[in-house]
Amino acid sequence: MAIPFFDRRNMNFVLNELLEVEHLTKHDYYQEHSTETFDAIIEVAAQIATEHFHSHNTESDKNEPVMVDGQVKIIPEVKEAIQIFAEAGFFAGHHSEELGGIQLPWVVNQACFAIFQAANIATVAYPFLTIAAANVIEAFGSEEQKSRYLPQMLDGRCFGTMALTEPQAGSSLSDITTTAESISEGHYLIRGNKMFISGGEHELSENIVHLVLARIKGAPAGVKGISLFLVPRYHVNSDGSLGEHNDVALSGLLHKMGYRGTTSTALNFGENGNCVGYLIGEPHKGLNYMFHMMNEARIGVGMGAAMLGYAGYLYSLDYARNRPQGRLPGNKDPQAKQVMLVEHADVRRMLLQQKAYVEGAYALGLYAAWLVDQQKSSPDEQVRRESGLLLDILTPIVKAWPSEYCLEANNQAIQILGGYGYTREYPVEQYYRDNRLNPIHEGTNAIQGIDLLGRKVSMSNGAAFKLLLKEIAETVGQASDEPSLNAWSRELHQALLLVEETTAALQEAQEQAGVEAYLANASVYLGMLGHVIIAWMWLRQGLVANGQLETASEADRDFYRGKLQACRYFFRWELPKIEAQSRILREMDPTCLDMQDEWF
């Protein structure tokens, strides 16, 4: 029997028992749906992911894209899989019926997408980027841009990218040098070089739409002078047919440690002076528009990290259950039968650590997607506003925490397989290599820490931060009434007080120490608050599991007991780490800041 790469039972638990997504069908926008339609769509996603994505995951890793006579060659299974993905409607699923979608809730859409990420994250990266780019065009594009490009993107004939990074600038977008020169109303000549553009060149689709950050000549310096342009590989005529090539040239493919099936490209725009870009929205507001795509992508990166961690966990769990090795420490008889790996306490530790990380991160990712639905469709204006605030402050954590700790889960999966785990004959080393990109993707984790502490915690006089603490405190109050959860409730209450105290101390000290010292340990702050958020996710799961335990079937009792044990692990082994993190932060420890270049 094939080893599963995702856990349908846990998906049902998070969607139906934890988030109760059926309540979304009471919103007008989703009223045509039901739990039955959600289940049917998830089942289609699982079947396609298994038969057409997972089946070539290893093959596309071994045979990465190559340049032949200036064109990118990719194994045929990739295009076949994406065509089936498109035919099933997954490019357009969450869009309105007017755009050809079925108005699927974003949380259900992301649950489906998570299955594809676990199956083959490199292949699904192409539709992932296209869906995000189409969302930006729908939100900020002109009516002409929408009518000309969205239909082709939502049926999978045209793919999308975001072209931000430049060789000399890296993550520092204020230093980009790509230029845009006006030639007519809304039309500009684009010239510049972009680097690390995922999906930037291929023959998987008829066309590619690049969303390009560039600086209009005469624009202000820094991020305030950046505009966003729609730059197609081929021009699109008014009737939807393809026109001439738009002077977008592939200068090379980059060869990565993981995600090998996704092209990573260096692109030259306008090297012949003929690359035309179409301004999206207003001049100089490009970064604001692009953040719409980036924030969506950051949540997607976190979900991808969680799913790669999850796939490794499930594989190592199956291996530990079926691999005989050694005897328990108390058995000194060399003739005695070997025990399965899972019977060794330290192997169970590594499995429990993986479970706590990946199922905590998975719950957080789908909770963030659920907030997107609340923000979009709730009839209550306050719910919409508060959902937006929570999304703002949670996004850097949703991206960074899973990409650090679910990568560690992959590390533990390799360890469980021992020497076999380090070989390419087993998939866990590929899961690790694929996942290693996620701490870098869509803004490094350090950038997420700076965003969280430097902007999100204090924005709107701390409104999002205060709301987050309030939401967690409500769960703490609910758990305090349950005798079996009371101890964890108290621990999370104390953790909340510590976070609040640490944040206040940091903000107070900032005035004297300055912003550089304030943000020097921002990654530590993200780790501290991230651990509290995951503890919150686990306490919420513990509340549901505890409530179901008494009336559940025997098989489900084991599932709920596993939830409670993973919750216990996180509170006993992980949450206490925030005390050391808090101490470093409150003291504004200058160790890293004071280190001099010459001392290395």
Side-chain angles (χ1 to χ4, degrees):
M1 184 178 71
I3 299 169
F5 52 88
F6 77 102
D7 188 336
R8 181 67 184 270
R9 178 66 184 90
N10 187 56
M11 175 182 290
N12 291 341
F13 171 81
V14 174
L15 287 176
N16 300 325
E17 300 177 59
L18 182 66
L19 299 177
E20 298 180 320
V21 294
E22 72 274 9
H23 292 329
L24 291 173
T25 61
K26 297 176 183 178
H27 298 182
D28 290 344
Y29 191 76
Y30 303 128
Q31 64 181 345
E32 297 300 317
H33 289 290
S34 65
T35 53
E36 288 74 23
T37 63
F38 295 159
D39 287 343
I41 291 165
I42 290 169
E43 188 58 39
V44 171
Q47 181 179 351
I48 294 174
T50 301
E51 296 177 3
H52 301 285
F53 281 74
H54 191 247
S55 56
H56 73 270
N57 189 37
T58 301
E59 192 68 20
S60 62
D61 180 69
K62 291 179 178 178
N63 298 279
E64 60 184 311
V66 294
M67 279 182 66
V68 178
D69 298 328
Q71 282 195 325
V72 177
K73 299 296 182 182
I74 301 173
I75 62 169
E77 291 89 340
V78 174
K79 185 171 185 176
E80 294 165 7
I82 297 174
Q83 285 178 332
I84 293 168
F85 180 97
E87 290 166 4
F90 285 110
F91 274 99
H94 66 287
H95 284 280
S96 66
E97 293 176 353
E98 289 78 10
L99 288 174
I102 59 172
Q103 300 182 185
L104 188 67
W106 189 244
V107 64
V108 179
N109 187 78
Q110 288 302 288
C112 293
F113 212 84
I115 302 173
F116 290 105
Q117 288 175 310
N120 188 325
I121 201 160
T123 292
V124 83
Y126 297 102
F128 172 83
L129 291 162
T130 303
I131 291 167
N135 288 345
V136 172
I137 295 170
E138 184 189 10
F140 305 110
S142 66
E143 291 305 315
E144 181 184 358
Q145 289 166 354
K146 293 177 188 178
S147 63
R148 190 165 295 203
Y149 295 99
L150 277 181
Q152 299 179 22
M153 297 177 79
L154 298 183
D155 67 12
R157 285 179 292 144
C158 174
F159 287 7
T161 77
M162 54 177 168
L164 290 72
T165 308
E166 297 181 5
Q168 83 292 339
S171 298
S172 182
L173 296 180
S174 63
D175 295 318
I176 67 170
T177 58
T178 297
T179 60
E181 182 178 359
S182 179
I183 52 176
S184 64
E185 183 65 30
H187 295 192
Y188 292 77
L189 284 179
I190 307 297
R191 184 184 291 273
N193 310 106
K194 296 292 183 177
M195 192 82 166
F196 300 118
I197 309 306
S198 297
E201 182 67 19
H202 52 71
E203 300 302 324
L204 300 172
S205 57
E206 297 175 3
N207 203 1
I208 302 173
V209 165
H210 304 286
L211 298 187
V212 179
L213 290 182
R215 206 178 291 282
I216 296 173
K217 290 194 173 181
V223 296
K224 293 182 179 180
I226 296 174
S227 299
L228 181 62
F229 298 87
L230 188 159
V231 182
R233 177 170 65 164
Y234 294 103
H235 292 287
V236 177
N237 300 318
S238 57
D239 63 358
S241 62
L242 294 185
E244 295 180 354
H245 192 272
N246 192 25
D247 196 12
V248 180
L250 173 69
S251 61
L253 292 177
L254 303 160
H255 301 284
K256 302 166 294 181
M257 172 180 173
Y259 265 83
R260 290 179 173 175
T262 310
T263 58
S264 183
T265 62
L267 299 177
N268 296 337
F269 292 87
E271 60 183 11
N272 298 310
N274 296 316
C275 180
V276 178
Y278 306 94
L279 180 68
I280 293 178
E282 299 178 32
H284 316 321
K285 294 187 177 180
L287 207 54
N288 291 336
Y289 302 146
M290 186 62 90
F291 265 114
H292 186 280
M293 183 175 182
M294 288 173 68
N295 286 334
E296 179 182 324
R298 284 169 177 171
I299 293 173
V301 165
M303 282 299 293
M307 297 314 295
L308 287 168
Y310 217 137
Y313 161 61
L314 292 174
Y315 194 94
S316 65
L317 174 61
D318 181 87
Y319 185 90
R321 284 172 168 169
N322 292 284
R323 162 76 176 183
Q325 186 168 313
R327 294 153 193 85
L328 297 181
N331 188 345
K332 305 300 182 183
D333 182 4
Q335 301 301 317
K337 185 179 179 181
Q338 289 185 314
V339 298
M340 297 300 172
L341 275 174
V342 75
E343 295 188 44
H344 294 285
D346 199 59
V347 171
R348 291 200 295 274
R349 173 191 63 81
M350 290 185 281
L351 289 168
L352 195 50
Q353 182 180 5
Q354 290 181 74
K355 182 179 176 71
Y357 289 170
V358 302
E359 292 186 5
Y362 180 79
L364 176 60
L366 288 188
Y367 172 69
W370 178 84
L371 287 174
V372 172
D373 290 316
Q374 296 291 345
Q375 183 186 32
K376 177 179 182 178
S377 67
S378 174
D380 188 323
E381 182 181 350
Q382 182 178 347
V383 170
R384 294 197 301 272
R385 182 181 64 82
E386 291 185 347
S387 296
L389 285 171
L390 288 170
L391 271 171
D392 280 340
I393 196 167
L394 285 175
T395 294
I397 296 170
V398 174
K399 186 274 179 185
W401 197 95
S403 64
E404 179 173 346
Y405 288 94
C406 294
L407 178 65
E408 176 57 28
N410 290 131
N411 184 37
Q412 296 300 329
I414 291 173
Q415 190 70 17
I416 287 172
L417 269 68
Y420 293 113
Y422 196 63
T423 66
R424 292 193 180 182
E425 282 69 32
Y426 293 81
V428 288
E429 64 86 30
Q430 183 188 339
Y431 292 141
Y432 183 92
R433 286 188 289 102
D434 285 345
N435 216 352
R436 186 58 189 84
L437 182 57
N438 288 319
I440 301 169
H441 246 174
E442 307 308 335
T444 65
N445 285 359
I447 289 174
Q448 306 305 320
I450 291 171
D451 179 43
L452 177 65
L453 183 58
R455 294 179 57 246
K456 301 297 178 59
V457 166
S458 57
M459 69 180 187
S460 304
N461 294 318
F465 181 65
K466 293 170 186 174
L467 178 61
L468 178 62
L469 297 185
K470 176 175 171 286
E471 291 289 316
I472 299 173
E474 287 182 8
T475 303
V476 167
Q478 294 167 6
S480 66
D481 296 329
E482 298 291 336
S484 60
L485 303 178
N486 185 264
W488 301 337
S489 170
R490 289 196 306 271
E491 289 175 23
L492 188 52
H493 174 69
Q494 291 301 316
L496 275 184
L497 294 177
L498 188 61
V499 165
E500 194 169 17
E501 171 193 318
T502 303
T503 305
L506 271 171
Q507 292 174 333
E508 184 178 343
Q510 179 187 5
E511 296 182 8
Q512 288 187 334
V515 68
E516 191 172 356
Y518 174 67
L519 295 176
N521 300 320
S523 292
V524 179
Y525 185 88
L526 188 147
M528 178 188 68
L529 187 55
H531 257 53
V532 171
I533 298 298
I534 298 297
W536 175 39
M537 288 295 110
W538 270 115
L539 192 57
R540 289 187 60 181
Q541 293 183 79
L543 272 165
V544 175
N546 190 63
Q548 299 279 28
L549 197 55
E550 188 174 334
T551 58
S553 66
E554 188 55 39
D556 267 352
R557 280 199 195 105
D558 283 341
F559 174 83
Y560 294 127
R561 287 174 185 137
K563 283 289 181 188
L564 290 167
Q565 196 72 359
C567 182
R568 176 183 175 186
Y569 174 90
F570 200 88
F571 274 82
R572 293 299 301 273
W573 288 64
E574 295 293 332
L575 190 58
K577 293 176 181 178
I578 72 167
E579 295 175 8
Q581 293 168 322
S582 172
R583 185 168 60 253
I584 288 171
L585 290 161
R586 288 197 316 272
E587 295 173 358
M588 297 191 80
D589 181 82
T591 301
C592 299
L593 186 62
D594 289 348
M595 182 64 181
Q596 301 299 302
D597 181 7
E598 297 79 10
W599 301 349
F600 283 107

